[in-house]
Amino acid sequence: MNTQENPRLAWAQSMLGQSTSQSPSPFGRWLNGTIVEASEACLVLDFIVRPEMTNPAGMLHGGVTAGMFDEVMGMHHFLLNLSQFYPTITLKIDYLGKALPGEVVRVRTELVKKGSTLLYFDGTMYNAEGKLLAKASTHMVVSRQSV
């Protein structure tokens, strides 16, 4: 499917290099990522780690990391131009490194499988030096809710 057939993907591609501060998702606005790459196969956003995103040790909080993955994977779902909403039913994360305030983390999601009732995404998070900080996978299942 090309961008002429998929207005959601065309919108995301027109937003490359821009922030998600106008996202329809309140949490997405709070995260305030920057769209780096957008296709039906892959979505990439950069996030600046802010102090309010950290745990008591001063590192990126695991819950915020999970939220970043869930937000980007949900946005990726939106770019598939499906009529039904697919809520997350599983989100598995391996935490492999740390990020500190002021650092940029890059979240990349890839569509692994698109079935009639299930979507499966993989995700990775890297720092600016290319060090792998986290890996994630998710399943989303079709619901009766439309988008």
Side-chain angles (χ1 to χ4, degrees):
M1 182 179 293
N2 64 40
T3 57
Q4 290 177 340
E5 298 168 351
N6 184 339
R8 294 177 186 175
L9 180 58
W11 168 83
Q13 290 176 340
S14 76
M15 295 293 293
L16 294 179
Q18 297 183 45
S19 84
T20 58
S21 62
Q22 300 301 310
S23 171
S25 163
F27 187 64
R29 289 191 301 268
W30 182 80
L31 288 172
N32 196 26
T34 299
I35 302 172
V36 176
E37 181 181 339
S39 71
E40 289 190 3
C42 174
L43 180 61
V44 181
L45 272 76
D46 284 348
F47 298 92
I48 298 173
V49 178
R50 302 187 311 268
E52 64 269 24
M53 296 175 163
T54 62
N55 60 25
M59 300 180 293
L60 180 62
H61 193 287
V64 176
T65 299
M68 288 175 176
F69 277 121
D70 197 45
E71 186 68 22
V72 178
M73 290 171 173
M75 187 176 177
H76 196 159
H77 151 264
F78 179 77
L79 298 184
L80 298 176
N81 206 35
L82 301 169
S83 60
Q84 298 302 113
F85 181 66
Y86 285 65
T88 300
I89 57 171
T90 63
L91 178 61
K92 178 189 176 296
I93 302 173
D94 295 316
Y95 299 93
L96 306 168
K98 66 179 181 178
L100 303 173
E103 293 183 346
V104 175
V105 295
R106 176 165 284 183
V107 174
R108 175 187 179 91
T109 63
E110 294 184 11
L111 177 63
V112 176
K113 180 171 176 57
K114 180 172 84 170
S116 59
T117 60
L118 189 72
L119 299 174
Y120 182 83
F121 293 96
D122 277 342
T124 52
M125 176 185 282
Y126 289 90
N127 67 12
E129 290 77 41
K131 179 181 177 190
L132 181 62
L133 303 178
K135 293 175 66 173
S137 61
T138 193
H139 292 91
M140 297 176 176
V141 68
V142 69
S143 71
R144 290 186 214 138
Q145 181 78 27
S146 58
V147 288

